[in-house]
Amino acid sequence: MNTRKVLTPILILPIFISLYPLAQAAQTIPLDKAINEEKTSAKKSSLVEHALHLNGVAAWKTFVEKNAATKTEGNWHGLVSFVPERVIVIPKTPDFACSAQQMIIGSPRPTPVTPGQKVVLVTYSFTYGEPLWRVAFGSFLFGSPQRPPVHFNLEIEIRVQTLDMGKGTLVDFPSLSAKGNTSKRDGAVKGLFKGLSKDLAGAKPALLDVIKEAEMMIIQIGQVIDGEKGGIKDDLCRRIALSQIREPDWKMRQRGAEALSRVMEKEDVKVISDLLDDKNSWVSRALVREVNRGFSGKGRKWGSEIVPFFRSAMVSEDSWVRAEITKAIGKARIEGTRSLILVATKDKSGPVRRAAASALGQLGEKDDIEALVPMLDDTDGQAAKAAAEALKRLGWKPPDIKMKVTYLLASDKEDDIVALGEPAVPFLMESLQHASENTVVTAIRSLGMMREKKAVDKLINNLVGTNTRVRVSSAEALGNIGDRRATVPLMACLKERTSSLRTAAAKALGKIKDAKAVDALIDVLQDKDKGARLAAVEALGAIGDVRAAGAVAKLLKDPNRKVKEEAAKALVVFNWQPDDPEAKVNAFMAAGNEKGIIGMGERAVRPLTAMLADDSLQKRLDAIGMLGKIGSDAKGAIIPICGCLNAKDEKEVIAAAEALAKIGDSAASPYIRKALLARSEVDRASIWMHFALVCLNTERVEHIDALVKALSSERGSEAAQVLGKIEFKDEELGTIANNLSSPDPELRRRTAEIMGKVGTHDSADHLWMRLSQEKDESVRKALRKAIRSLSEKQ
């Protein structure tokens, strides 16, 4: 569902031209009658005065006052105007009457209107539309500093009319009307005008020129309205933007603000400064963002004339505006603006102070070091980091160990802090009470990396704090320190609602290796969070207490692969030897020990068969593959494996066919033939089914022939791979070798490769003969390789 508001502008393209042939065929309506039936503009007089002023035809004042009107029919809004060879954007709202002269497009001076001339009017209007969910949730989804998503729909109706100034009649051409509704604005405009041009076939060339000019102008102005330059001169963009910023629709004001910031003149500084107080923050933010871009090489740059705007923006109630304009001031490097940045270093907003620190670093004035050094202790961690980066750029060096620790904490350089050693500890301990979360976390991590036991008590106290990031960092640090005083407090953290804290506590207990925590960690093995379960099983493996073996063994069926793998590793540490084949298979599977499963032989068949019904494709593929490798001992799984021949996934079908071939029981043949007949074309799965039937000695010649024929199909490479796995009898090799005489070089090459894998000593003579006759180099290369391969077999 779209919410729609009629957008101004309405464009009127009046161009004087003679249209006598068309006028005779059109319906003639007395203008007086038409005006009387329509609504008049609330600000008609000012608009009329404006039109007369532009036209310079005072003699027509009475006539215009009598006949000018605003037509409101659906999305129609227009004004009869007498400005030759111009396009005028006249907004729908009456408030725009006073500034309409700013909307003039074109350079020629107006020419007087004389009786007998006709005015061609081409009018249209746009509408914006937004899905309701975007209106409600746009700020939440896209972030307030970003430009909101506006869907530009086109509700356009184009009509061509002529006004006979001499007779006072309005000539309407209904057949020239067109309407469109699409989000593809430019394409719709072109399509509508294409229709008009067809209707005007046979008209004077001058009228067709008018239509083409109107098309281009509407497209260009539509682009400007939508925040693009559209190829129109800066002066026109500015005039349109000046009108847009007075619109009641905030989306129009936003687009106008963006456009004006790119093309404004000195006298517009007051105008854009007033926009900072717009009741909709999207407007002021769009304006400030574009001004900032102007100093980034992406737009126009200004001089000292922009300073009043800077000052106004710096006192905005919107902290985002203050931060963005601070960035712009730093890029602008305009004389007299440095003081604004210095004031921003003490702003109540962290992002503003952050922007100020970065700006001072860009300016490169060493005098600003005095303002930046105190910012290393800023309560906003990012502001402190920006100050540290600015000081580095200015070449500042910390004078003592305390300032060095402060600087490194602000810079998040934990490794450098650790390198300072014992002298840094008192200052790190002091920093644990800092107001900046970032500083506290960096200090905690540094103390943990230093394994500083003096910090254990304070870190334990942090575990019951209110800041999650500080609590998690403290748990991690306690694990690195490894002091058993933290065991019970960390065990308590395993019951916390925050999963990241439970995970960090479990990892820490695994590093401390206190057996006192085993029971608490066993409880975490049932945690709904996979990260917590993983941390707990790793910790139990590290502790190595066999009491956990039974609970850990249950994780061999965990849905998370990593958890299963760690459970298997832990069970190895526990030297766990299950009697139950299913548990043993699960353990081997989790550990990736395929040889262990295959070595179980027939005892592994039932657990593996049960896995064929698992939801995980990979688990089914692994089970099928291992049943095939177990071989003849897996005959009990033939029927379940045959069921996989009808699976939706081709990989599973291929795995089943290959496994049945390895098991070697002809009892599978009927199921394979049935599945093969169900496939309508030669695909990878059918090729492997043919392979399985060959290996099971079921209608062997027929299926070998099918595979040989497949060599010349698009599945030829797959057929070649399969044929290379078959053990052929001497009389069967001739069927394959015959393809060496094929006119298709690719088929000859594949055949040579197969012969190198499955041929016998007698095959070498035939290959030598073919090599003596072969001209294609790729085939010759395959033949030489095949001959070498047969030679090595001997």
Side-chain angles (χ1 to χ4, degrees):
M1 174 179 178
N2 283 348
T3 57
R4 295 189 175 181
K5 293 183 180 180
V6 175
L7 268 189
T8 47
I10 292 81
L11 281 85
I12 302 175
L13 176 64
I15 301 182
F16 290 86
I17 188 168
S18 297
L19 295 172
Y20 293 109
L22 285 173
Q24 294 172 359
Q27 178 186 3
T28 301
I29 307 170
L31 185 60
D32 290 345
K33 181 180 178 181
I35 297 302
N36 290 334
E37 292 176 354
E38 297 174 6
K39 298 178 181 180
T40 57
S41 170
K43 291 255 184 168
K44 179 184 66 174
S45 59
S46 59
L47 288 170
V48 169
E49 288 287 352
H50 166 64
L52 289 172
H53 174 72
L54 291 174
N55 196 31
V57 188
W60 288 98
K61 180 175 181 179
T62 304
F63 178 84
V64 174
E65 287 180 337
K66 181 180 178 182
N67 295 302
T70 298
K71 185 175 183 180
T72 56
E73 177 185 306
N75 284 343
W76 278 96
H77 303 278
L79 172 69
V80 177
S81 181
F82 311 112
V83 187
E85 299 178 358
R86 303 292 175 110
V87 174
I88 303 179
V89 180
I90 299 182
K92 170 189 173 184
T93 54
D95 295 341
F96 268 93
C98 298
S99 61
Q101 68 181 43
Q102 297 174 342
M103 309 311 295
I104 306 302
I105 300 174
S107 56
R109 291 178 59 82
T111 57
V113 180
T114 59
Q117 284 188 311
K118 293 181 175 61
V119 179
V120 178
L121 304 174
V122 180
T123 59
Y124 74 95
S125 63
F126 288 113
T127 62
Y128 269 127
E130 281 189 277
L132 188 59
W133 67 268
R134 283 189 173 180
V135 175
F137 303 110
S139 177
F140 171 75
L141 294 174
F142 297 95
S144 56
Q146 303 301 320
R147 178 173 175 173
V150 177
H151 186 59
F152 200 148
N153 279 337
L154 179 68
E155 287 282 357
I156 181 168
E157 185 175 3
I158 300 174
R159 183 174 300 172
V160 176
Q161 298 171 301
T162 63
L163 177 63
D164 190 315
M165 302 300 296
K167 299 178 181 179
T169 57
L170 181 68
V171 183
D172 194 2
F173 291 87
S175 63
L176 302 183
S177 300
K179 191 171 184 179
N181 182 352
T182 175
S183 59
K184 302 293 185 181
R185 179 189 62 232
D186 297 352
V189 173
K190 291 178 181 179
L192 291 170
F193 274 102
K194 185 177 181 181
L196 289 175
S197 298
K198 288 182 179 179
D199 288 336
L200 289 170
K204 288 189 175 183
L207 177 57
L208 298 178
D209 291 341
V210 169
I211 297 301
K212 190 63 179 176
E213 183 177 348
E215 174 188 339
M216 295 304 298
M217 193 62 70
I218 290 171
I219 288 176
Q220 288 179 329
I221 294 179
Q223 290 171 342
V224 174
I225 293 166
D226 200 26
E228 304 170 18
K229 190 170 180 181
I232 299 180
K233 294 179 181 179
D234 286 354
D235 182 58
L236 171 58
C237 288
R238 174 176 171 267
R239 292 175 181 180
I240 293 176
L242 285 168
S243 291
Q244 283 183 281
I245 62 175
R246 294 180 176 86
E247 279 289 306
D249 189 327
W250 69 267
K251 295 185 291 295
M252 283 292 287
R253 297 198 304 277
Q254 184 204 38
R255 295 295 195 264
E258 291 174 338
L260 184 58
S261 68
R262 294 191 290 266
V263 297
M264 69 179 184
E265 302 294 341
K266 290 182 179 180
E267 58 266 30
D268 299 327
V269 172
K270 175 66 167 62
V271 177
I272 65 171
S273 297
D274 291 341
L275 280 176
L276 291 169
D277 296 324
D278 194 282
K279 60 185 178 181
N280 192 301
S281 62
W282 288 109
V283 177
S284 56
R285 290 184 173 195
L287 171 65
V288 172
R289 182 182 59 246
E290 288 301 321
V291 169
N292 187 17
R293 287 178 177 175
F295 292 104
S296 303
K298 298 180 180 178
R300 180 177 174 181
K301 296 184 179 180
W302 302 272
S304 58
E305 69 273 9
I306 198 70
V307 174
F309 173 74
F310 286 164
R311 295 185 186 280
S312 298
M314 288 302 294
V315 294
S316 170
E317 294 182 0
D318 188 337
S319 62
W320 190 91
V321 168
R322 298 198 304 274
E324 196 73 5
I325 209 64
T326 300
K327 297 174 187 176
I329 295 171
K331 297 173 186 174
R333 298 174 178 271
I334 297 174
E335 186 176 354
T337 58
R338 175 171 163 269
S339 60
L340 296 175
I341 302 176
L342 292 173
V343 170
T345 61
K346 300 184 182 300
D347 194 280
K348 62 183 178 181
S349 167
V352 177
R353 298 195 301 274
R354 186 189 319 162
S358 297
L360 290 176
Q362 287 178 321
L363 292 178
E365 299 285 342
K366 290 191 178 293
D367 291 343
D368 295 330
I369 290 177
E370 185 178 352
L372 287 167
V373 170
M375 292 187 70
L376 293 174
D377 265 326
D378 198 290
T379 55
D380 183 278
Q382 294 302 315
K385 190 171 185 177
E389 291 171 353
L391 287 167
K392 181 180 179 180
R393 182 178 293 186
L394 295 175
W396 176 81
K397 300 292 183 183
D400 53 43
I401 184 66
K402 181 178 181 180
M403 285 304 301
K404 193 163 190 176
V405 171
T406 302
Y407 169 76
L408 293 174
L409 285 170
S411 304
D412 290 340
K413 295 185 176 180
E414 297 155 6
D415 291 337
D416 291 346
I417 294 173
V418 173
L420 294 175
E422 186 65 27
V425 172
F427 305 110
L428 291 173
M429 297 287 286
E430 184 181 332
S431 297
L432 294 178
Q433 308 302 319
H434 201 280
S436 167
E437 174 194 291
N438 194 67
T439 298
V440 173
V441 169
T442 304
I444 290 171
R445 289 175 177 170
S446 300
L447 289 165
M449 292 167 68
M450 297 169 77
R451 299 185 178 181
E452 183 52 62
K453 292 187 179 293
K454 295 177 185 177
V456 170
D457 290 337
K458 286 193 175 184
L459 292 176
I460 289 174
N461 288 336
N462 282 345
L463 294 177
V464 292
T466 57
N467 186 298
T468 299
R469 189 171 170 225
V470 171
R471 296 173 76 190
V472 170
S473 299
S474 297
E476 292 171 346
L478 287 167
N480 289 332
I481 294 170
D483 194 305
R484 294 198 172 191
R485 285 178 290 169
T487 298
V488 175
L490 288 169
M491 288 166 57
C493 290
L494 296 176
K495 301 292 185 181
E496 290 289 340
R497 295 179 62 182
T498 305
S499 61
S500 59
L501 181 56
R502 298 197 303 274
T503 301
K507 288 181 177 179
L509 288 168
K511 292 179 179 179
I512 294 172
K513 298 181 180 180
D514 190 338
K516 196 162 41 176
V518 169
D519 290 337
L521 287 168
I522 288 174
D523 290 340
V524 183
L525 296 180
Q526 306 302 317
D527 198 291
K528 61 183 179 181
D529 183 78
K530 63 184 179 182
R533 296 198 305 276
L534 179 61
V537 73
E538 287 176 339
L540 289 168
I543 294 171
D545 195 313
V546 295
R547 289 179 296 164
V552 171
K554 294 179 181 179
L555 291 184
L556 294 173
K557 295 183 178 182
D558 193 274
N560 183 267
R561 180 182 60 82
K562 187 66 177 174
V563 172
K564 288 189 290 188
E565 290 176 356
E566 289 301 324
K569 292 178 183 178
L571 290 172
V572 172
V573 173
F574 301 148
N575 196 26
W576 179 68
Q577 297 293 333
D579 296 327
D580 179 18
E582 182 180 358
K584 197 164 188 176
V585 167
N586 286 330
F588 283 139
M589 285 280 281
N593 187 352
E594 187 178 282
K595 290 183 179 180
I597 296 175
I598 296 170
M600 290 175 65
E602 190 174 356
R603 295 180 66 230
V605 172
R606 180 173 292 181
L608 289 173
T609 302
M611 292 181 189
L612 299 183
D614 197 275
D615 291 337
S616 168
L617 172 63
Q618 189 57 53
K619 193 168 185 178
R620 297 198 302 272
L621 292 175
D622 291 342
I624 293 170
M626 282 182 276
L627 284 168
K629 290 177 181 179
I630 289 173
S632 58
D633 286 341
K635 289 181 180 180
I638 285 178
I639 301 301
I641 295 174
C642 286
C644 297
L645 294 171
N646 300 311
K648 293 181 180 179
D649 192 286
E650 190 177 50
K651 293 179 183 177
E652 188 170 353
V653 178
I654 293 171
E658 188 173 12
L660 290 169
K662 291 178 179 178
I663 293 172
D665 193 324
S666 59
S669 297
Y671 299 96
I672 300 173
R673 281 201 303 267
K674 184 177 180 180
L676 183 60
L677 290 172
R679 307 190 84 83
S680 58
E681 58 183 18
V682 178
D683 57 9
R684 294 180 65 234
S686 64
I687 287 172
W688 281 93
M689 289 184 195
H690 283 302
F691 165 75
L693 290 168
V694 171
C695 293
L696 296 176
N697 293 312
T698 302
E699 298 168 349
R700 185 179 171 94
V701 175
E702 174 188 337
H703 295 293
I704 290 175
D705 287 343
L707 290 172
V708 171
K709 289 178 181 178
L711 286 172
S712 56
S713 72
E714 60 181 16
R715 298 297 180 185
S717 59
E718 192 83 19
Q721 177 187 349
V722 166
L723 285 166
K725 293 176 176 288
I726 298 173
E727 292 185 9
F728 288 96
K729 301 172 184 177
D730 290 342
E731 59 271 20
E732 293 171 338
L733 288 174
T735 304
I736 300 173
N738 288 338
N739 284 321
L740 291 172
S741 303
S742 169
D744 181 3
E746 180 61 20
L747 179 56
R748 297 199 303 275
R749 184 188 64 77
R750 288 174 179 168
T751 302
E753 290 176 350
I754 295 169
M755 293 298 292
K757 295 176 181 177
V758 303
T760 63
H761 173 69
D762 294 337
S763 303
D765 293 338
H766 186 62
L767 293 177
W768 275 111
M769 179 61 70
R770 291 305 310 167
L771 183 61
S772 68
Q773 300 170 354
E774 183 60 57
K775 295 180 180 180
D776 187 283
E777 184 54 37
S778 65
V779 180
R780 291 180 61 81
K781 183 177 180 180
L783 286 167
R784 289 194 296 268
K785 184 176 180 181
I787 292 170
R788 287 198 303 272
S789 177
L790 294 178
S791 169
E792 290 169 0
K793 287 181 181 180
Q794 298 175 17

